[in-house]
């Protein structure tokens, strides 16, 4: 027993050192973010970051109205952004408190063209946390349908975005876009690079494309409808106006790549307990799988084409990642 004691002490010291290091890294990550940029700067400039911290369209210093909206929740579930774990958290939160979910007959999706399930007289809807669809199609967020059920002044509106490169690959392989593109456009080719290069060459360069493959997160958020209403406006201005709209529409836009920190911010705004945000990962890759990267799948030329056509998602993500970090820094 005495012979094992030095080894035990050594293990304790090593464990303590690791814990201190982890706490230091977490603290550093939370408080040392660089100064954020405005949406105008994210979209229209590529120079160095400004030395003076700019203002967001979102008012970071006025969070009172957000923290008052705790009773009703509207979470827009974006595709391939790691939302399954978060939706499980929201389901458990609502079930434990006997809240009313805004559901259409097919409960795993919210169908914009169908009436929701009726409630007993005098009751109100409390939570929506599904993908948005229309009958037979992948549909997008339509605020004019949702607001009457979950009024903005009483509801916490939030969604989540993922690094566009990671989201694109996950979306491409999960929904088998490779075979769909080959069939629809009669594309010849065996590799992802060959098929995607031919598809991207068919897209117009003078206007923006938004569908469930190109700029798919912005499609979920309603950018295709936004394009229809803003015809005749330059692409950069269209993206800028869209970001301004999202900035006002959503109280919080979480970041998949910073999921735990996103939960910390959500917990803070909603005054939840730590038990409310405990989760197990769902619908994730096996640890044995090596995640593919854009660099390993696509040539430099195809990557450049993809960045050009996918620039709505890229610029939306850049802006809201910075807004998220600025919100986090206020804690």
């Amino acid at each position: 027993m005495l012979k094992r004691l030095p080894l035990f002490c050594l293990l304790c010291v090593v464990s303590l050192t690791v814990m201190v290091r982890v706490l230091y890294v977490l603290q550093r990550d939370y408080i040392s973010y660089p100064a954020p940029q405005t949406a105008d700067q994210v979209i229209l400039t590529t120079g160095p970051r400004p030395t003076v911290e700019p203002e967001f369209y979102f008012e970071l210093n006025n969070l009172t109205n957000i923290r008052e909206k705790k009773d009703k929740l509207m979470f827009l579930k974006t595709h391939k952004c790691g939302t399954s774990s978060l939706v499980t958290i929201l389901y458990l939160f609502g079930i434990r408190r006997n809240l009313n979910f805004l559901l259409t007959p097919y409960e795993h999706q919210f169908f914009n063209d169908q009436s929701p399930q009726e409630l007993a007289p005098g009751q109100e809807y409390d939570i929506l946390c599904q993908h948005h669809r229309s009958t037979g199609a992948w549909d997008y967020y339509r605020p004019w349908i949702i607001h009457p059920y979950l009024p903005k002044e009483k509801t916490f509106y939030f969604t989540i975005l993922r690094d566009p490169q990671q989201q694109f690959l996950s979306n491409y392989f999960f929904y088998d876009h490779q075979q769909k593109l080959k069939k629809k456009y009669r594309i010849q080719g065996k590799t992802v690079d060959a098929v995607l290069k031919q598809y991207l060459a068919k897209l117009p360069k003078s206007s923006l494309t938004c569908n469930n493959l190109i700029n798919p997160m912005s499609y979920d958020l309603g950018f295709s409808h936004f394009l229809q209403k803003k015809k005749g406006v330059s692409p950069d201005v269209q993206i800028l106006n869209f970001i301004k709209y999202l900035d006002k529409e959503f109280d919080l836009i979480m970041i998949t790549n910073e999921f735990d920190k996103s939960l910390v911010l959500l917990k803070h705004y909603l005054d939840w307990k730590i038990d409310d945000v405990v989760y197990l990962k769902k619908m994730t890759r096996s640890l044995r799988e090596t995640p593919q990267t854009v660099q390993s799948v696509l040539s430099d030329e195809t990557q450049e084409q993809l960045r050009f056509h996918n620039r709505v998602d890229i610029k939306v993500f850049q802006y809201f990642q910075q807004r998220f970090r600025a919100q986090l820094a206020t804690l």
Side-chain angles (χ1 to χ4, degrees):
M1 181 66 183
L2 292 176
K3 292 182 179 180
R4 296 180 182 178
L5 188 58
L7 178 60
F8 174 76
C9 294
L10 178 62
L11 290 174
C12 289
V13 171
V14 172
S15 299
L16 182 60
T17 303
V18 172
M19 289 176 64
V20 170
R21 177 61 182 168
V22 169
L23 289 173
Y24 166 75
V25 171
L26 286 174
Q27 182 187 40
R28 179 199 62 193
D29 289 346
Y30 275 112
I31 65 176
S32 61
Y33 289 122
Q37 295 172 281
T38 63
D40 308 70
Q41 291 165 327
V42 168
I43 291 172
L44 301 179
T45 70
T46 56
R49 293 174 182 249
T51 55
V52 179
E53 183 173 324
E55 294 182 1
F56 278 79
Y57 299 110
F58 174 84
E59 297 178 5
L60 289 170
N61 296 322
N62 185 14
L63 303 178
T64 304
N65 292 337
I66 290 182
R67 298 200 66 189
E68 288 177 352
K69 298 191 291 186
K70 306 172 187 175
D71 299 329
K72 297 181 182 295
L73 305 174
M74 200 298 294
F75 173 65
L76 176 61
K77 192 176 185 218
T78 44
H79 288 82
K80 306 313 296 174
C81 289
T83 57
S84 297
S85 297
L86 183 52
V87 167
T88 300
I89 289 173
L90 297 176
Y91 274 134
L92 289 174
F93 179 82
I95 291 170
R96 288 169 180 168
R97 289 158 180 80
N98 198 30
L99 301 179
N100 294 318
F101 289 84
L102 178 57
L103 301 170
T104 47
Y106 182 58
E107 297 181 0
H108 299 292
Q109 314 273 1
F110 182 84
F111 281 78
N112 289 318
D113 55 355
Q114 296 185 21
S115 298
Q117 297 179 6
E118 295 184 1
L119 299 176
Q123 290 191 335
E124 296 181 348
Y125 296 105
D126 300 306
I127 299 181
L128 172 61
C129 54
Q130 279 85 26
H131 287 305
H132 289 230
R133 292 182 65 89
S134 60
T135 303
W138 185 349
D139 205 7
Y140 51 80
Y141 172 59
R142 300 172 186 256
W144 60 92
I145 292 178
I146 306 303
H147 287 177
Y149 298 116
L150 294 168
K152 280 279 291 174
E153 63 273 10
K154 297 194 298 183
T155 307
F156 187 83
Y157 275 67
F158 64 115
T159 186
I160 191 167
L161 298 175
R162 183 181 183 183
D163 178 274
Q165 286 192 346
Q166 297 176 7
Q167 195 276 346
F168 176 83
L169 282 184
S170 179
N171 179 33
Y172 191 88
F173 291 116
F174 185 84
Y175 292 106
D176 197 16
H177 285 290
Q178 178 87 345
Q179 296 305 317
K180 292 177 182 177
L181 292 177
K182 291 173 70 173
K183 183 177 180 180
K184 182 175 181 179
Y185 297 98
R186 298 181 180 179
I187 293 175
Q188 301 296 320
K190 294 183 179 180
T191 66
V192 173
D193 183 73
V195 172
L196 195 57
K197 182 182 294 184
Q198 294 177 65
Y199 168 68
L200 294 174
K202 298 176 183 293
L203 300 180
K205 293 188 176 181
S206 59
S207 60
L208 297 167
T209 300
C210 189
N211 53 39
N212 61 359
L213 175 59
I214 303 299
N215 298 303
M217 293 187 292
S218 296
Y219 180 84
D220 280 337
L221 294 166
F223 187 64
S224 57
H225 177 76
F226 204 85
L227 280 177
Q228 296 170 12
K229 293 180 62 179
K230 304 291 182 180
K231 292 181 179 180
V233 181
S234 71
D236 277 345
V237 174
Q238 286 176 324
I239 299 172
L240 178 60
N241 289 336
F242 184 57
I243 288 177
K244 289 181 177 180
Y245 152 72
L246 295 175
D247 220 19
K248 295 179 180 178
E249 181 67 17
F250 291 94
D251 300 305
L252 172 64
I253 294 186
M254 304 167 71
I255 302 297
T256 303
N257 310 77
E258 303 184 64
F259 188 71
D260 288 344
K261 296 176 184 179
S262 294
L263 290 180
V264 169
L265 199 53
L266 181 69
K267 171 185 172 295
H268 172 71
Y269 283 153
L270 299 179
D271 282 340
W272 282 5
K273 299 177 180 178
I274 191 65
D275 290 348
D276 293 324
V277 293
V278 173
Y279 71 99
L280 295 174
K281 289 185 178 181
K282 296 189 64 178
M283 305 290 287
T284 59
R285 290 177 180 267
S286 167
L287 293 176
R288 296 179 181 178
E289 294 184 68
T290 302
Q292 291 178 298
T293 63
V294 167
Q295 291 77 14
S296 67
V297 175
L298 303 179
S299 65
D300 291 344
E301 179 185 352
T302 307
Q303 288 181 54
E304 184 177 353
Q305 284 184 290
L306 180 60
R307 282 192 295 269
F308 175 79
H309 289 291
N310 212 39
R311 65 190 184 278
V312 186
D313 269 9
I314 292 172
K315 291 172 180 178
V316 167
F317 178 80
Q318 286 175 345
Y319 176 75
F320 284 104
Q321 184 181 46
Q322 293 173 47
R323 191 188 92 163
F324 166 80
R325 290 174 173 178
Q327 287 177 278
L328 197 62
T330 65
L331 298 184

